[in-house]
């Protein structure tokens, strides 16, 4: 067909992927979008275009009808079909956001070894869970989460973490960050938005609280953990909540001293303040049994937050809140208006994995692997550096000697050799407020690369000390 008869020079390339009609629709849309078919251009009659393209007239008519319905074309009685006057310019390409730096070897903290995800066990659990799931499980759900998972978590947390967990007080969230968002919103709405957060601590979590209406004050950390004895006095006198990592402080790596645990609970009882217990890697203890949760001693003062991000993998986006009675309703309402409920299939699978003891087996397996990695780190670095925080968790703190290379110098030298490693300054409320150090994550690198990564870090420290 000579499209010049219609005032344009056009050749249509039809991609029949998905069907001939869909291919014609795509070709016409593209021609209109890029200006080859300008507004008010009259299109050929359906019979003529069908003969030209080797299509049925019905296929062309259906394509025209679809594009008319979408606003690309206009059909006029007695005047045929023409391109609508609405401008359909293609949007300009979006600039790609800057991604995180990539390294040949990565010892930055924060991630488990995702290669240890129990694929086979998860598939089995998913099949079993879906085989018995009621039909209503595939509809909109309870903002608190599936009852199967809340019951499974209540049992698991009671025996493994010492948490007093009534299923009716558990809210399943889409990751730890959402739990923090929900609690921050509830505190803000209650008029107590000032939150004490550990110093050093994860900077991203501080920003989450600020972005959702909270005011953050530093809670100092020393060799005994967070200075909970300072709560209720001085700059921390009007704090409404304290976010702490008692089992394994991030990034210092210490467990909260018993006296500090008592001080934390007593502060909350005396003032009505809320303790937010971030139990991000509490299952990973290597020198003895894991330290029980603070929540078990003060369930009406503590909002306990656990997650599957470290035990299974961050991709699941599954975490859980165990709440004081007074917070259940406001948190549930906040969750309802945030995303209605966390996705259901993963909840059902995790419940089955816990009930079938596959979750316990996974924790034992990865705990053994991570202990081996911890031991190798001590073997490669412990002789020349002060390594702390190694009794538990997935990271260690390496203190740099006074008068030696600065933290920035070590990070730059490591990056120049293709090695990523964390620094303590990043986690402080005021970067220069404490001594220099490194935060070394020993879970993330794949097993085949881990020894080489440690050797590279050891070499960086050795060369800078020379």
């Amino acid at each position: 067909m000579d499209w010049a008869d219609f005032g344009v020079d056009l050749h249509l390339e039809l991609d029949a992927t998905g069907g001939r009609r869909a291919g014609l629709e795509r070709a016409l849309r593209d021609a209109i979008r890029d200006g080859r078919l300008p507004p008010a251009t009259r299109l050929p009659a359906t019979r003529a275009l069908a003969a030209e393209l080797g299509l049925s007239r019905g296929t062309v008519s259906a394509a025209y009808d679809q594009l008319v319905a979408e606003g690309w074309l206009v059909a006029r009685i007695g005047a045929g079909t023409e391109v609508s006057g609405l401008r359909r310019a293609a949007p300009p390409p979006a600039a790609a956001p800057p991604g995180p730096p990539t390294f040949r070897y990565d010892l930055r903290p924060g991630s488990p070894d995702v290669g240890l995800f129990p694929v086979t066990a998860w598939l089995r659990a998913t099949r079993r869970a879906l085989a018995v799931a009621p039909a209503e499980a595939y509809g909109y759900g309870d903002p608190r989460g599936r009852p199967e998972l809340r019951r499974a978590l209540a049992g698991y947390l009671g025996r493994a973490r010492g948490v007093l967990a009534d299923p009716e007080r558990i809210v399943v969230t889409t990751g730890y960050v959402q739990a923090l968002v929900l609690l921050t919103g509830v505190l803000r709405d209650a008029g107590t938005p000032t939150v004490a957060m550990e110093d050093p601590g994860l900077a991203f979590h501080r920003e989450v609280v600020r972005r959702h209406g909270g005011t953050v004050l530093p809670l100092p950390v020393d060799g005994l953990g967070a200075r909970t004895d300072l709560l209720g006095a001085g700059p921390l006198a009007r704090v409404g909540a304290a976010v702490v990592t008692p089992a394994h402080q991030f990034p210092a790596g210490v467990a909260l001293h018993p006296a500090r645990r008592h001080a934390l609970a007593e502060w909350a009882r005396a003032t009505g303040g809320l303790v937010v217990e971030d139990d991000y890697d509490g299952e990973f203890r290597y020198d003895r049994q894991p330290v029980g949760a603070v929540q078990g001693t003060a369930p009406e003062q503590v909002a306990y937050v656990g997650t599957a991000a470290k035990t299974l993998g961050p991709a699941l986006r599954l975490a859980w809140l165990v709440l004081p009675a007074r917070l259940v309703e406001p948190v549930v309402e906040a969750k309802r208006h945030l995303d209605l409920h966390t996705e259901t299939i993963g909840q059902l699978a995790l419940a089955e994995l816990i009930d079938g003891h596959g979750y316990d087996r996974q924790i034992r397996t990865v705990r053994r692997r991570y202990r081996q990695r911890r031991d190798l780190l001590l073997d490669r670095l412990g002789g020349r550096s002060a390594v702390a925080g190694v009794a538990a968790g997935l990271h260690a703190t390496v203190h740099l000697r006074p008068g030696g290379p600065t933290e920035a110098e070590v990070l730059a030298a490591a990056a120049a050799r293709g090695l990523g490693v964390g620094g303590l300054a990043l986690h402080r409320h005021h970067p220069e407020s404490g001594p220099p150090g490194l935060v070394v994550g020993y879970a993330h690198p794949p097993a085949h690369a881990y020894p080489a990564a440690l050797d590279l870090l050891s070499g960086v420290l050795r060369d800078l000390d020379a």
Side-chain angles (χ1 to χ4, degrees):
M1 173 172 294
D2 188 358
W3 284 80
D5 294 341
F6 297 91
V8 294
D9 182 14
L10 180 66
H11 175 70
L12 290 180
E13 290 286 349
L14 265 62
D15 176 3
T17 302
R20 292 184 175 186
R21 191 193 78 183
L24 178 57
E25 291 171 12
R26 282 194 298 270
L28 290 172
R29 283 193 202 95
D30 289 344
I32 296 170
R33 186 183 289 117
D34 62 22
R36 289 179 292 138
L37 282 177
T41 300
R42 186 166 61 88
L43 269 63
T46 55
R47 188 187 303 276
L49 186 56
E52 171 69 18
L53 298 178
L55 303 174
S56 72
R57 185 181 180 187
T59 297
V60 176
S61 294
Y64 277 15
D65 289 345
Q66 181 66 30
L67 295 177
V68 167
E70 294 177 4
W72 297 93
L73 302 178
V74 177
R76 304 187 189 281
I77 297 176
T81 303
E82 64 182 42
V83 178
S84 74
L86 182 64
R87 184 172 177 82
R88 295 282 185 170
T102 57
F103 299 98
R104 183 182 179 190
Y105 299 106
D106 197 346
L107 290 173
R108 290 173 297 176
S111 177
D113 181 356
V114 295
L116 297 178
F117 184 84
V119 175
T120 302
W122 186 259
L123 287 172
R124 282 198 301 264
T126 302
R127 291 191 189 100
R128 288 195 296 264
L130 296 183
V132 299
E136 53 88 14
Y138 303 105
Y140 293 111
D142 188 333
R144 293 173 299 173
R146 286 298 303 176
E148 298 92 337
L149 180 56
R150 288 187 284 116
R151 286 193 296 267
L153 285 170
Y156 169 76
L157 294 172
R159 61 182 168 78
R161 303 298 301 123
V163 173
L164 298 176
D166 184 328
E168 300 305 310
R169 295 194 185 187
I170 294 177
V171 175
V172 179
T173 65
T174 307
Y176 172 83
V177 168
Q178 187 182 78
L180 190 57
V181 168
L182 292 170
L183 292 171
T184 301
V186 168
L187 290 166
R188 180 197 62 224
D189 294 345
T192 55
T194 303
V195 180
M197 301 186 76
E198 293 173 328
D199 185 15
L202 196 60
F204 177 65
H205 289 172
R206 297 196 292 271
E207 187 60 23
V208 167
V209 171
R210 293 189 183 105
R211 282 175 178 259
H212 290 86
T215 299
V216 176
L217 294 179
L219 178 62
V221 172
D222 62 17
L224 301 180
R227 290 290 309 274
T228 57
D229 54 310
L230 299 179
L231 291 169
L236 299 174
R238 301 181 65 181
V239 165
V243 181
V244 292
T245 51
H248 185 234
Q249 202 278 331
F250 184 88
V254 297
L256 190 61
H257 188 275
R260 300 271 177 89
R261 291 165 69 98
H262 294 317
L264 182 64
E266 287 306 313
W267 162 79
R269 289 191 183 98
T271 65
L274 177 68
V275 176
V276 180
E277 182 173 10
D278 178 3
D279 197 30
Y280 68 103
D281 66 356
E283 289 92 347
F284 301 122
R285 186 86 192 186
Y286 308 122
D287 57 346
R288 52 180 168 81
Q289 285 295 107
V291 178
V294 172
Q295 191 270 358
T297 67
E300 292 306 315
Q301 285 72 45
V302 177
Y304 172 92
V305 193
T307 174
K310 302 299 188 289
T311 53
L312 294 174
L316 293 180
R317 309 311 303 140
L318 287 173
W320 41 88
L321 278 161
V322 184
L323 295 164
R326 72 183 188 278
L327 292 184
V328 174
E329 183 177 347
V331 169
V332 169
E333 279 305 295
K335 171 72 173 173
R336 189 192 311 277
H337 290 91
L338 184 61
D339 65 354
L340 192 58
H341 65 87
T342 296
E343 69 88 16
T344 297
I345 305 303
Q347 293 189 58
L348 293 172
L350 180 56
E352 177 63 35
L353 194 69
I354 294 172
D355 288 340
H357 303 290
Y359 192 64
D360 293 84
R361 288 192 293 272
Q362 167 71 3
I363 289 172
R364 289 194 297 269
T365 297
V366 298
R367 184 162 54 211
R368 183 171 61 252
R369 298 281 185 89
Y370 293 147
R371 178 169 185 165
Q372 292 169 351
R373 292 189 176 206
R374 188 279 312 260
D375 292 346
L376 185 60
L377 181 145
L378 288 173
D379 179 64
R380 301 291 173 91
L381 299 181
R384 61 176 302 105
S385 303
V387 182
V390 294
L394 307 179
H395 74 275
T397 303
V398 177
H399 295 290
L400 301 177
R401 64 177 180 81
T406 67
E407 183 177 313
E409 288 171 340
V410 175
L411 296 180
R417 301 188 192 186
L419 174 66
V421 66
L424 272 176
L426 172 67
H427 301 293
R428 293 195 175 94
H429 290 237
H430 303 287
E432 305 304 321
S433 61
L438 307 178
V439 186
V440 181
Y442 52 80
H444 177 55
H448 69 274
Y450 181 58
L454 290 180
D455 287 341
L456 189 55
L457 177 58
S458 180
V460 167
L461 295 173
R462 181 183 61 249
D463 293 347
L464 290 175
D465 277 338

